[in-house]
Amino acid sequence: LGGQVLERHALIDAQMLALIAKEHLLIVGPPGNGKTTTTKALLEAFGETDGSASFTKLQMKHDTDLNELFGPF
């Protein structure tokens, strides 16, 4: 996976830890730094192309409310 996505070792480590722990992972960063590409490459590396594992992509704005991310609480 490191050959497909360059210089994203910390993100890959966090994704692996979330997979092992079976927990959610919120990835935040500026546009164009490989968040979606890294996630798709990781899913392909684990053979998750049949849709059994998925991720949700949410475009956040400066006025994004917490309820949009986590639902009402």
Side-chain angles (χ1 to χ4, degrees):
L1 186 66
Q4 292 177 334
V5 182
L6 302 176
E7 299 180 13
R8 303 298 294 162
H9 302 292
L11 176 57
I12 293 169
D13 290 345
Q15 289 176 324
M16 294 292 294
L17 185 61
L19 280 173
I20 292 169
K22 297 182 181 177
E23 292 292 336
H24 298 277
L25 179 65
L26 175 64
I27 305 170
V28 179
N33 66 358
K35 297 177 298 288
T36 302
T37 303
T38 305
T39 303
K40 288 181 178 180
L42 183 68
L43 289 175
E44 286 180 12
F46 278 94
E48 296 293 341
T49 56
D50 61 353
S52 62
S54 64
F55 68 97
T56 301
K57 184 176 175 181
L58 175 69
Q59 183 71 37
M60 295 178 63
K61 302 174 288 292
H62 67 282
D63 62 344
T64 300
D65 188 13
L66 285 178
N67 289 332
E68 294 178 61
L69 293 175
F70 305 110
F73 45 115

